[in-house]
Structures are given as structure tokens and as C-alpha cells.
Amino acid sequence: MGWLSSILWAFWYILPAYFANASPVLVGGGRPIDGGRKWGDGRRILGDGKTWRGFIGGVSIGTLIGLIQYFITPGFYGDFKTAFLLAFLLSFGALLGDLVGSFLKRRADLPRGAPAIGLDQLGFLIAALALAYPVKTLSSGQIILLLVISPFIHWGANYFAYKMGWKSVPW
């Protein structure tokens, strides 16, 4: 596989996670996942920004993106079941990683929306790759590429969402 093809397939692979991670800004709101409960340190477990609607909507959108990808390039996935499972695990993993990041930010006493360099940009990616690993994985070079490039994509997407009025902060 040529280097350009390898780069493109890496982005094609991770697209459900990217969409899942970005979509709660548009579909979220409503009841917080933590229900307002606090951890032993007296701080919220996750905070108001992590909602059931955002989580379920994000997983659903990411999974749908993966299924659309399957119909565009079925050979990449092998079969529908694999495509569905991979898209779901990438999407679920992305949002699970985001929840872990939110939990850690609350423990560090960072307010909702405060930036946490590295954690915000890579937590979702690492969790998505870890959950999807048993189904289909990328080469080490492709994973490194995504780890290097994803923070820039994340920052760009957040800035775009801020400019569109979907987010109150550009990070």
C-alpha cells in the first residue's frame, strides 16, 4: 500500500470516531449522564456537558457514518456485521474516552469547557482505537499518524463549531 493510500485509509477507518466525538455539540443537551451526582471529592462526576442525548446521539451518528462507509467501500470491511461492529466500537470508544477525559478534568477541578491539552484531543482517539482493535486495526504507522494529526483536526473542528455558534469556546 502506498503512503498516500495508507493515510487515506487511516482517515477512512477513524471517521466514525471523529463524527461520534463531534456530534454531541449538535445533538446533545438534556439529562446529564451523572444525574447531578458528585464523586467522593465533592465534585460532579462528569458535569452538565455530558448528556445521555449527546452520548446516544454521538454513538448513533458515528455508527451511521460507518455503515454509509460500508456501502461505499464494502471491501474495506469484509461484511456488514464487521462494518457495523467496527463503526459502533469506534463511536462508542470515542465517547467513552471523552467521558473519561471529563471525569479526569472534574478531578483536576477544571470548569466545564476548560481546555486540557492532550486529553481533549487524544482521549477519544485512544479509547476508540483500543475498543476497535479486536475487530480491525491499523498499522503502527497509521496509528502514529492519527495521534499526530488528530489534535489539529480536533482544534480545527472546535474552532469551526465556535464560529458557527455551536460552542461557546473555540477549544
Side-chain angles (χ1 to χ4, degrees), residues 6-7 55 63 71 80 100 127 170:
S6 180
I7 290 169
F55 187 84
T63 302
F71 288 109
F80 183 83
V100 169

Side-chain angles (χ1 to χ4, degrees), residues 47-103:
D48 288 335
K50 303 303 174 197
T51 66
W52 285 111
R53 189 165 60 200
F55 187 84
I56 293 168
V59 171
S60 298
I61 289 169
T63 302
L64 178 63
I65 292 298
L67 295 179
I68 291 169
Q69 290 176 282
Y70 168 75
F71 288 109
I72 295 170
T73 57
F76 182 74
Y77 298 98
D79 59 48
F80 183 83
K81 180 182 172 187
T82 302
F84 177 81
L85 184 58
L86 180 64
F88 174 79
L89 290 172
L90 285 167
S91 302
F92 184 82
L95 292 179
L96 181 63
D98 188 57
L99 290 178
V100 169
S102 184
F103 176 81

Side-chain angles (χ1 to χ4, degrees), residues 49-50 102 105-106 110-116 120 167-171:
K50 303 303 174 197
S102 184
K105 287 166 73 172
R106 297 301 82 77
L110 293 173
R112 177 180 173 189
D120 291 335
K167 291 185 72 166
S168 59
V169 293
W171 51 79

